[in-house]
Amino acid sequence: ITVNDTSYAGYTLTTSSTTPAEGSTVTMTLTTVGVPNSTYVYLRAIKNDGSTDYMDSSDVGDRWQNVWVQNNTATWDIPITQDLIADAGESFKVIARLGSSSGTIVATSPVMTIQDTPFSISVTPSTTTANEGTTLNFTVNTTGVSNNTVLTWYVIGNTSTDYDDMYDNFTILNNQGTFSIKILQDFIDDPGESFVVRIQSGSYSGATVYATSTTININQVNWTFNITPSATTIAESTGGQSPVNTTLTLAITTSGVENGTWMRLWPERVSPSGGDYSGTYDFTTTWDTGNPPWDFHIQNNAATLPIKIKGDAKTEGTEVWKFHCRPLANQNATAATSPDITITDASFIGSRKTDKTFGPIRVNRDNGNAANVSDWYTICGLDKLPNNSKV
Protein backbone atom coordinates (compact mmCIF):
# COMPACT_ATOMS: atom_id res chain seq x y z
CA ILE A 1 0.00 0.00 0.00
CA THR A 2 1.51 3.31 -1.02
CA VAL A 3 0.48 6.43 0.91
CA ASN A 4 0.65 9.45 -1.33
CA ASP A 5 1.72 12.73 0.34
CA THR A 6 -0.75 15.63 0.07
CA SER A 7 1.07 18.82 -0.77
CA TYR A 8 -0.32 22.06 0.69
CA ALA A 9 0.63 25.70 0.85
CA GLY A 10 0.42 25.68 4.67
CA TYR A 11 -0.78 28.47 6.97
CA THR A 12 -1.29 32.19 6.40
CA LEU A 13 -2.25 34.83 9.01
CA THR A 14 -3.88 38.08 7.87
CA THR A 15 -5.35 41.01 9.78
CA SER A 16 -8.37 43.21 9.22
CA SER A 17 -6.23 46.28 9.94
CA THR A 18 -2.55 47.04 10.36
CA THR A 19 -3.42 50.29 12.16
CA PRO A 20 -6.20 49.37 14.63
CA ALA A 21 -7.48 52.19 16.82
CA GLU A 22 -7.83 51.94 20.59
CA GLY A 23 -11.37 50.86 21.45
CA SER A 24 -11.78 48.89 18.22
CA THR A 25 -11.50 45.18 17.43
CA VAL A 26 -9.01 43.69 15.00
CA THR A 27 -9.85 40.35 13.38
CA MET A 28 -7.11 37.82 12.70
CA THR A 29 -7.85 35.27 9.94
CA LEU A 30 -5.93 32.02 9.70
CA THR A 31 -6.12 30.51 6.18
CA THR A 32 -4.82 27.03 5.46
CA VAL A 33 -4.43 24.71 2.47
CA GLY A 34 -4.76 20.97 2.84
CA VAL A 35 -5.11 21.08 6.63
CA PRO A 36 -7.57 18.57 8.15
CA ASN A 37 -10.61 19.88 10.00
CA SER A 38 -10.28 20.31 13.79
CA THR A 39 -6.52 20.84 13.60
CA TYR A 40 -5.58 22.69 16.80
CA VAL A 41 -3.61 25.95 16.38
CA TYR A 42 -2.34 28.21 19.16
CA LEU A 43 -2.40 31.96 18.40
CA ARG A 44 -0.46 34.44 20.47
CA ALA A 45 -0.18 38.26 20.35
CA ILE A 46 3.43 39.28 20.96
CA LYS A 47 5.34 42.53 21.14
CA ASN A 48 7.02 43.61 17.93
CA ASP A 49 10.39 44.32 19.51
CA GLY A 50 12.16 41.04 18.78
CA SER A 51 10.99 39.44 22.03
CA THR A 52 8.30 36.81 22.37
CA ASP A 53 6.62 38.50 25.34
CA TYR A 54 2.86 38.67 25.49
CA MET A 55 1.28 41.98 24.68
CA ASP A 56 0.38 43.91 27.83
CA SER A 57 -3.16 43.27 29.02
CA SER A 58 -3.62 47.03 29.19
CA ASP A 59 -3.14 47.16 25.38
CA VAL A 60 -5.18 44.19 24.14
CA GLY A 61 -8.17 42.54 25.74
CA ASP A 62 -7.01 39.02 24.76
CA ARG A 63 -3.36 37.95 24.47
CA TRP A 64 -3.74 34.37 23.23
CA GLN A 65 -6.38 32.08 21.80
CA ASN A 66 -6.78 28.42 20.79
CA VAL A 67 -8.52 27.87 17.45
CA TRP A 68 -9.53 24.80 15.49
CA VAL A 69 -9.30 24.85 11.72
CA GLN A 70 -12.58 24.17 9.95
CA ASN A 71 -12.80 24.18 6.14
CA ASN A 72 -9.24 25.58 6.00
CA THR A 73 -9.96 28.71 8.06
CA ALA A 74 -10.22 30.06 11.64
CA THR A 75 -10.62 33.55 13.07
CA TRP A 76 -9.75 35.41 16.29
CA ASP A 77 -11.15 38.82 17.34
CA ILE A 78 -8.72 40.86 19.46
CA PRO A 79 -10.19 43.85 21.37
CA ILE A 80 -7.76 46.78 21.35
CA THR A 81 -7.91 48.38 24.80
CA GLN A 82 -8.48 52.10 25.11
CA ASP A 83 -5.90 52.83 27.81
CA LEU A 84 -6.43 56.63 27.87
CA ILE A 85 -2.68 57.13 27.64
CA ALA A 86 -0.82 58.98 24.90
CA ASP A 87 1.43 56.16 23.69
CA ALA A 88 1.16 56.12 19.91
CA GLY A 89 3.47 53.71 18.14
CA GLU A 90 2.78 50.51 20.10
CA SER A 91 2.97 47.62 17.69
CA PHE A 92 2.47 43.87 17.82
CA LYS A 93 2.02 40.80 15.68
CA VAL A 94 0.39 37.39 16.03
CA ILE A 95 2.14 34.05 15.67
CA ALA A 96 0.52 30.68 15.03
CA ARG A 97 1.93 27.48 16.56
CA LEU A 98 0.81 23.93 16.04
CA GLY A 99 -0.64 22.02 18.94
CA SER A 100 0.55 24.08 21.92
CA SER A 101 2.24 27.27 23.11
CA SER A 102 5.60 25.64 22.42
CA GLY A 103 4.68 24.04 19.08
CA THR A 104 6.22 24.79 15.70
CA ILE A 105 5.58 28.31 14.39
CA VAL A 106 3.68 27.92 11.12
CA ALA A 107 2.63 31.52 10.41
CA THR A 108 3.25 35.13 11.46
CA SER A 109 0.87 38.01 10.84
CA PRO A 110 1.77 41.46 9.48
CA VAL A 111 2.83 44.00 12.11
CA MET A 112 -0.06 46.02 13.59
CA THR A 113 0.50 49.50 15.07
CA ILE A 114 -2.09 50.66 17.64
CA GLN A 115 -3.41 54.17 17.05
CA ASP A 116 -4.31 56.43 19.98
CA THR A 117 -7.93 57.58 20.06
CA PRO A 118 -8.26 61.29 20.96
CA PHE A 119 -10.30 61.76 24.12
CA SER A 120 -11.29 64.33 26.72
CA ILE A 121 -12.59 64.00 30.29
CA SER A 122 -14.06 66.65 32.60
CA VAL A 123 -15.75 66.46 36.00
CA THR A 124 -18.34 68.92 37.32
CA PRO A 125 -19.81 69.02 40.88
CA SER A 126 -23.47 69.90 41.42
CA THR A 127 -22.32 72.75 43.66
CA THR A 128 -19.03 74.24 44.80
CA THR A 129 -20.28 74.80 48.37
CA ALA A 130 -21.79 71.98 50.40
CA ASN A 131 -22.90 71.58 54.01
CA GLU A 132 -21.73 68.81 56.29
CA GLY A 133 -24.24 65.98 56.24
CA THR A 134 -25.26 66.47 52.60
CA THR A 135 -24.62 64.47 49.44
CA LEU A 136 -22.76 66.04 46.54
CA ASN A 137 -23.36 64.78 42.98
CA PHE A 138 -20.75 64.78 40.22
CA THR A 139 -21.09 64.45 36.44
CA VAL A 140 -18.21 63.26 34.25
CA ASN A 141 -18.42 64.17 30.55
CA THR A 142 -16.10 62.57 28.01
CA THR A 143 -15.38 62.40 24.30
CA GLY A 144 -13.74 59.45 22.58
CA VAL A 145 -14.08 57.14 25.62
CA SER A 146 -15.48 53.68 24.97
CA ASN A 147 -18.66 52.44 26.61
CA ASN A 148 -18.15 50.44 29.82
CA THR A 149 -14.79 52.08 30.51
CA VAL A 150 -14.27 51.99 34.30
CA LEU A 151 -12.69 55.05 35.92
CA THR A 152 -11.99 56.01 39.55
CA TRP A 153 -12.94 59.15 41.46
CA TYR A 154 -10.53 60.12 44.24
CA VAL A 155 -10.97 62.79 46.92
CA ILE A 156 -8.01 65.06 47.64
CA GLY A 157 -8.29 67.05 50.87
CA ASN A 158 -9.06 66.43 54.57
CA THR A 159 -9.40 62.91 56.02
CA SER A 160 -11.56 59.82 55.62
CA THR A 161 -13.72 60.94 58.57
CA ASP A 162 -15.09 63.75 56.37
CA TYR A 163 -16.59 61.51 53.67
CA ASP A 164 -18.44 58.21 53.41
CA ASP A 165 -15.77 57.10 50.91
CA MET A 166 -12.52 58.63 49.68
CA TYR A 167 -12.63 56.82 46.30
CA ASP A 168 -14.71 54.45 44.21
CA ASN A 169 -15.23 53.28 40.64
CA PHE A 170 -17.83 54.36 38.10
CA THR A 171 -18.58 53.40 34.48
CA ILE A 172 -18.74 55.54 31.35
CA LEU A 173 -21.81 55.00 29.14
CA ASN A 174 -22.51 57.17 26.10
CA ASN A 175 -19.60 59.43 27.07
CA GLN A 176 -20.97 60.20 30.53
CA GLY A 177 -20.65 58.92 34.08
CA THR A 178 -22.01 59.99 37.48
CA PHE A 179 -21.20 59.42 41.14
CA SER A 180 -22.02 60.89 44.55
CA ILE A 181 -20.01 61.70 47.69
CA LYS A 182 -21.57 62.00 51.15
CA ILE A 183 -19.95 64.76 53.23
CA LEU A 184 -20.14 63.58 56.83
CA GLN A 185 -20.96 65.64 59.87
CA ASP A 186 -17.77 65.13 61.84
CA PHE A 187 -18.71 66.98 65.08
CA ILE A 188 -15.40 68.83 65.04
CA ASP A 189 -14.89 72.57 65.00
CA ASP A 190 -12.96 72.77 61.74
CA PRO A 191 -14.23 75.63 59.54
CA GLY A 192 -12.66 76.39 56.18
CA GLU A 193 -12.35 72.82 54.88
CA SER A 194 -12.28 72.25 51.12
CA PHE A 195 -11.44 69.48 48.66
CA VAL A 196 -11.17 68.56 44.99
CA VAL A 197 -12.06 65.34 43.19
CA ARG A 198 -9.73 63.72 40.66
CA ILE A 199 -10.76 61.35 37.90
CA GLN A 200 -7.99 58.81 37.43
CA SER A 201 -7.09 55.34 36.21
CA GLY A 202 -7.12 53.64 39.62
CA SER A 203 -7.43 54.10 43.38
CA TYR A 204 -3.73 54.62 44.07
CA SER A 205 -1.58 57.72 44.37
CA GLY A 206 0.46 57.00 41.24
CA ALA A 207 -2.55 56.51 38.95
CA THR A 208 -2.88 58.56 35.77
CA VAL A 209 -5.02 61.66 36.44
CA TYR A 210 -7.41 62.63 33.63
CA ALA A 211 -9.36 65.50 35.20
CA THR A 212 -9.67 67.51 38.42
CA SER A 213 -12.80 69.26 39.66
CA THR A 214 -13.03 72.82 40.84
CA THR A 215 -12.52 73.37 44.58
CA ILE A 216 -15.52 72.46 46.74
CA ASN A 217 -15.89 74.30 50.05
CA ILE A 218 -17.47 72.58 53.06
CA ASN A 219 -19.76 74.60 55.29
CA GLN A 220 -19.63 73.66 58.95
CA VAL A 221 -23.16 73.09 60.31
CA ASN A 222 -24.03 74.42 63.75
CA TRP A 223 -25.25 71.67 66.04
CA THR A 224 -25.98 70.88 69.69
CA PHE A 225 -25.84 67.50 71.42
CA ASN A 226 -26.96 66.86 74.99
CA ILE A 227 -27.13 63.78 77.22
CA THR A 228 -29.61 63.92 80.11
CA PRO A 229 -29.65 60.92 82.50
CA SER A 230 -32.83 59.92 84.32
CA ALA A 231 -30.79 60.05 87.54
CA THR A 232 -27.28 60.97 88.56
CA THR A 233 -27.37 58.57 91.52
CA ILE A 234 -28.79 55.11 91.08
CA ALA A 235 -28.72 52.06 93.34
CA GLU A 236 -27.53 48.75 92.05
CA SER A 237 -30.49 46.45 92.56
CA THR A 238 -30.72 43.19 94.49
CA GLY A 239 -32.66 40.01 94.10
CA GLY A 240 -30.89 37.00 95.51
CA GLN A 241 -29.26 34.62 93.12
CA SER A 242 -30.96 36.30 90.12
CA PRO A 243 -30.55 40.02 90.81
CA VAL A 244 -33.04 42.34 89.14
CA ASN A 245 -31.61 45.01 86.84
CA THR A 246 -32.41 48.65 87.42
CA THR A 247 -32.61 50.96 84.43
CA LEU A 248 -30.80 54.21 83.81
CA THR A 249 -32.27 56.09 80.84
CA LEU A 250 -30.14 58.48 78.83
CA ALA A 251 -32.21 61.01 76.87
CA ILE A 252 -30.35 62.36 73.83
CA THR A 253 -31.49 65.69 72.41
CA THR A 254 -29.80 67.39 69.47
CA SER A 255 -30.21 70.16 66.95
CA GLY A 256 -28.67 70.39 63.51
CA VAL A 257 -27.91 66.64 63.41
CA GLU A 258 -28.96 64.75 60.29
CA ASN A 259 -31.56 62.00 60.63
CA GLY A 260 -30.02 58.56 60.66
CA THR A 261 -26.62 59.69 61.92
CA TRP A 262 -24.97 56.76 63.67
CA MET A 263 -23.33 57.40 67.03
CA ARG A 264 -21.45 55.24 69.51
CA LEU A 265 -21.98 55.36 73.29
CA TRP A 266 -18.83 54.74 75.32
CA PRO A 267 -18.95 54.18 79.11
CA GLU A 268 -16.01 55.41 81.16
CA ARG A 269 -15.49 54.59 84.83
CA VAL A 270 -14.32 57.71 86.60
CA SER A 271 -13.76 56.10 90.00
CA PRO A 272 -12.40 53.93 91.30
CA SER A 273 -9.74 54.03 88.63
CA GLY A 274 -8.60 50.85 86.94
CA GLY A 275 -10.61 47.72 86.54
CA ASP A 276 -13.24 46.96 83.94
CA TYR A 277 -13.56 50.19 81.98
CA SER A 278 -15.77 48.63 79.32
CA GLY A 279 -18.50 48.01 81.86
CA THR A 280 -19.00 44.47 80.58
CA TYR A 281 -20.02 43.26 84.05
CA ASP A 282 -21.92 46.39 85.03
CA PHE A 283 -24.28 47.18 82.15
CA THR A 284 -26.56 45.72 79.56
CA THR A 285 -29.10 47.42 77.31
CA THR A 286 -32.56 46.81 75.95
CA TRP A 287 -31.68 47.81 72.37
CA ASP A 288 -28.42 45.86 72.08
CA THR A 289 -27.58 42.72 73.97
CA GLY A 290 -23.88 43.00 73.20
CA ASN A 291 -21.20 44.40 75.46
CA PRO A 292 -20.46 48.13 75.40
CA PRO A 293 -19.78 50.34 73.56
CA TRP A 294 -23.20 50.51 71.92
CA ASP A 295 -24.22 51.96 68.54
CA PHE A 296 -27.42 53.94 67.96
CA HIS A 297 -28.73 56.49 65.50
CA ILE A 298 -30.31 59.91 65.81
CA GLN A 299 -33.86 60.28 64.54
CA ASN A 300 -35.71 63.61 64.58
CA ASN A 301 -32.91 65.09 66.69
CA ALA A 302 -33.45 62.63 69.54
CA ALA A 303 -32.69 59.17 70.88
CA THR A 304 -33.57 57.31 74.08
CA LEU A 305 -31.05 54.85 75.47
CA PRO A 306 -32.23 52.58 78.33
CA ILE A 307 -29.19 51.11 80.08
CA LYS A 308 -29.66 48.39 82.65
CA ILE A 309 -27.44 48.44 85.72
CA LYS A 310 -26.66 44.84 86.55
CA GLY A 311 -27.34 43.68 90.09
CA ASP A 312 -24.29 41.50 90.49
CA ALA A 313 -24.58 40.64 94.20
CA LYS A 314 -20.99 41.69 94.52
CA THR A 315 -19.65 44.05 97.16
CA GLU A 316 -17.61 46.52 95.18
CA GLY A 317 -18.33 49.92 96.68
CA THR A 318 -19.66 53.06 95.04
CA GLU A 319 -18.73 53.57 91.39
CA VAL A 320 -18.84 56.75 89.32
CA TRP A 321 -19.39 56.52 85.55
CA LYS A 322 -19.95 58.87 82.63
CA PHE A 323 -20.93 58.23 79.01
CA HIS A 324 -19.47 59.70 75.82
CA CYS A 325 -21.32 60.02 72.50
CA ARG A 326 -19.03 59.89 69.48
CA PRO A 327 -19.85 59.74 65.76
CA LEU A 328 -19.43 56.22 64.47
CA ALA A 329 -17.43 57.53 61.49
CA ASN A 330 -14.96 59.41 63.70
CA GLN A 331 -14.14 57.89 67.08
CA ASN A 332 -11.70 60.73 67.82
CA ALA A 333 -14.52 63.29 68.08
CA THR A 334 -16.82 63.56 71.09
CA ALA A 335 -20.22 65.11 70.46
CA ALA A 336 -21.30 65.08 74.13
CA THR A 337 -20.46 63.69 77.56
CA SER A 338 -22.99 62.89 80.26
CA PRO A 339 -22.77 64.19 83.85
CA ASP A 340 -21.08 61.87 86.35
CA ILE A 341 -23.46 59.09 87.38
CA THR A 342 -22.97 57.44 90.77
CA ILE A 343 -23.93 53.78 91.18
CA THR A 344 -24.26 52.81 94.83
CA ASP A 345 -23.53 49.26 95.91
CA ALA A 346 -26.33 46.72 96.33
CA SER A 347 -25.44 45.62 99.89
CA PHE A 348 -28.17 46.63 102.34
CA ILE A 349 -29.78 45.92 105.70
CA GLY A 350 -32.73 43.55 105.41
CA SER A 351 -36.21 45.01 105.49
CA ARG A 352 -37.43 42.15 107.72
CA LYS A 353 -34.54 42.33 110.15
CA THR A 354 -36.44 41.50 113.36
CA ASP A 355 -35.00 38.29 114.77
CA LYS A 356 -32.98 37.95 111.60
CA THR A 357 -29.34 38.16 110.68
CA PHE A 358 -29.02 41.12 108.35
CA GLY A 359 -26.44 41.96 105.74
CA PRO A 360 -24.16 42.56 104.18
CA ILE A 361 -22.23 39.35 104.78
CA ARG A 362 -18.95 39.87 102.96
CA VAL A 363 -16.98 36.75 102.08
CA ASN A 364 -13.46 36.89 100.73
CA ARG A 365 -12.52 34.56 97.89
CA ASP A 366 -9.81 34.11 95.27
CA ASN A 367 -7.07 34.28 97.90
CA GLY A 368 -8.47 37.42 99.44
CA ASN A 369 -8.78 39.46 96.24
CA ALA A 370 -10.69 42.51 97.46
CA ALA A 371 -12.14 43.14 94.01
CA ASN A 372 -13.96 39.79 94.16
CA VAL A 373 -15.54 40.07 97.60
CA SER A 374 -19.09 38.64 97.46
CA ASP A 375 -22.15 39.58 99.50
CA TRP A 376 -23.66 36.29 100.53
CA TYR A 377 -26.57 38.02 102.21
CA THR A 378 -27.79 39.11 98.78
CA ILE A 379 -26.72 36.00 96.90
CA CYS A 380 -28.56 33.66 99.30
CA GLY A 381 -31.59 35.91 99.64
CA LEU A 382 -31.38 35.80 103.45
CA ASP A 383 -33.89 38.63 103.78
CA LYS A 384 -36.56 36.38 102.26
CA LEU A 385 -36.00 33.27 104.37
CA PRO A 386 -38.41 32.46 107.23
CA ASN A 387 -37.28 32.34 110.81
CA ASN A 388 -35.23 29.32 111.86
CA SER A 389 -34.09 28.63 108.31
CA LYS A 390 -30.69 27.06 107.96
CA VAL A 391 -28.20 28.00 105.29
Side-chain angles (χ1 to χ4, degrees):
I1 300 172
T2 301
V3 178
N4 295 320
D5 192 20
T6 302
S7 61
Y8 60 92
Y11 298 79
T12 303
L13 264 175
T14 58
T15 175
S16 61
S17 174
T18 56
T19 56
E22 290 181 346
S24 68
T25 297
V26 61
T27 299
M28 309 304 301
T29 301
L30 177 67
T31 304
T32 67
V33 177
V35 173
N37 282 344
S38 300
T39 297
Y40 165 60
V41 181
Y42 172 84
L43 302 180
R44 177 176 178 177
I46 63 173
K47 298 177 181 179
N48 187 42
D49 57 2
S51 70
T52 56
D53 291 339
Y54 283 105
M55 281 294 290
D56 294 330
S57 58
S58 60
D59 294 313
V60 294
D62 294 316
R63 297 184 291 170
W64 64 273
Q65 180 68 51
N66 299 326
V67 298
W68 283 262
V69 174
Q70 295 293 331
N71 299 322
N72 284 309
T73 190
T75 60
W76 176 29
D77 292 331
I78 307 176
I80 307 300
T81 305
Q82 186 176 31
D83 57 10
L84 302 178
I85 299 174
D87 51 5
E90 294 175 302
S91 60
F92 71 102
K93 55 191 176 184
V94 173
I95 59 173
R97 293 179 180 268
L98 284 182
S100 71
S101 59
S102 59
T104 302
I105 296 177
V106 294
T108 302
S109 75
V111 173
M112 291 160 281
T113 301
I114 299 175
Q115 307 299 307
D116 274 343
T117 299
F119 69 92
S120 66
I121 299 176
S122 63
V123 55
T124 305
S126 55
T127 179
T128 57
T129 301
N131 293 335
E132 288 183 345
T134 60
T135 297
L136 195 60
N137 300 315
F138 292 80
T139 300
V140 177
N141 290 304
T142 71
T143 60
V145 177
S146 302
N147 277 347
N148 299 313
T149 297
V150 177
L151 299 174
T152 299
W153 59 263
Y154 198 103
V155 173
I156 302 297
N158 310 320
T159 66
S160 60
T161 59
D162 291 291
Y163 317 100
D164 57 347
D165 284 303
M166 293 287 285
Y167 62 87
D168 204 351
N169 297 330
F170 66 99
T171 302
I172 297 296
L173 292 173
N174 299 321
N175 278 310
Q176 191 172 87
T178 59
F179 60 89
S180 300
I181 300 175
K182 177 69 177 292
I183 301 174
L184 300 179
Q185 190 171 20
D186 57 11
F187 297 93
I188 297 175
D189 186 15
D190 51 3
E193 289 183 303
S194 62
F195 68 100
V196 297
V197 175
R198 295 195 315 208
I199 307 302
Q200 53 190 56
S201 60
S203 57
Y204 48 92
S205 58
T208 302
V209 178
Y210 304 122
T212 303
S213 73
T214 56
T215 299
I216 299 131
N217 298 306
I218 301 177
N219 282 338
Q220 184 168 298
V221 175
N222 293 326
W223 54 272
T224 61
F225 205 112
N226 297 292
I227 306 174
T228 303
S230 56
T232 55
T233 300
I234 188 166
E236 187 180 89
S237 62
T238 61
Q241 293 183 357
S242 300
V244 178
N245 296 318
T246 54
T247 300
L248 170 71
T249 300
L250 299 181
I252 309 295
T253 56
T254 70
S255 65
V257 177
E258 183 187 13
N259 272 354
T261 298
W262 280 94
M263 307 295 295
R264 176 163 287 178
L265 185 68
W266 284 88
E268 177 192 352
R269 193 167 76 175
V270 179
S271 68
S273 60
D276 180 25
Y277 277 77
S278 71
T280 302
Y281 302 106
D282 293 281
F283 308 113
T284 185
T285 64
T286 57
W287 85 93
D288 184 347
T289 57
N291 294 328
W294 308 284
D295 296 339
F296 67 97
H297 68 276
I298 299 297
Q299 197 68 32
N300 298 324
N301 280 308
T304 301
L305 313 180
I307 299 173
K308 290 185 177 180
I309 312 298
K310 290 182 181 178
D312 55 12
K314 177 180 175 182
T315 302
E316 54 198 345
T318 297
E319 295 176 285
V320 179
W321 290 82
K322 58 185 174 183
F323 296 87
H324 305 282
C325 278
R326 296 167 181 161
L328 193 59
N330 182 12
Q331 295 297 296
N332 294 321
T334 299
T337 298
S338 74
D340 287 351
I341 297 166
T342 301
I343 301 176
T344 59
D345 201 30
S347 299
F348 70 105
I349 294 177
S351 59
R352 298 193 297 125
K353 60 186 179 182
T354 304
D355 299 323
K356 298 285 291 291
T357 300
F358 54 87
I361 302 174
R362 294 184 175 90
V363 180
N364 287 321
R365 57 188 174 92
D366 297 341
N367 297 318
N369 185 346
N372 291 338
V373 169
S374 296
D375 180 4
W376 283 21
Y377 180 87
T378 301
I379 292 174
C380 298
L382 298 186
D383 191 43
K384 298 179 181 179
L385 298 181
N387 289 340
N388 301 316
S389 295
K390 293 183 179 180
V391 178

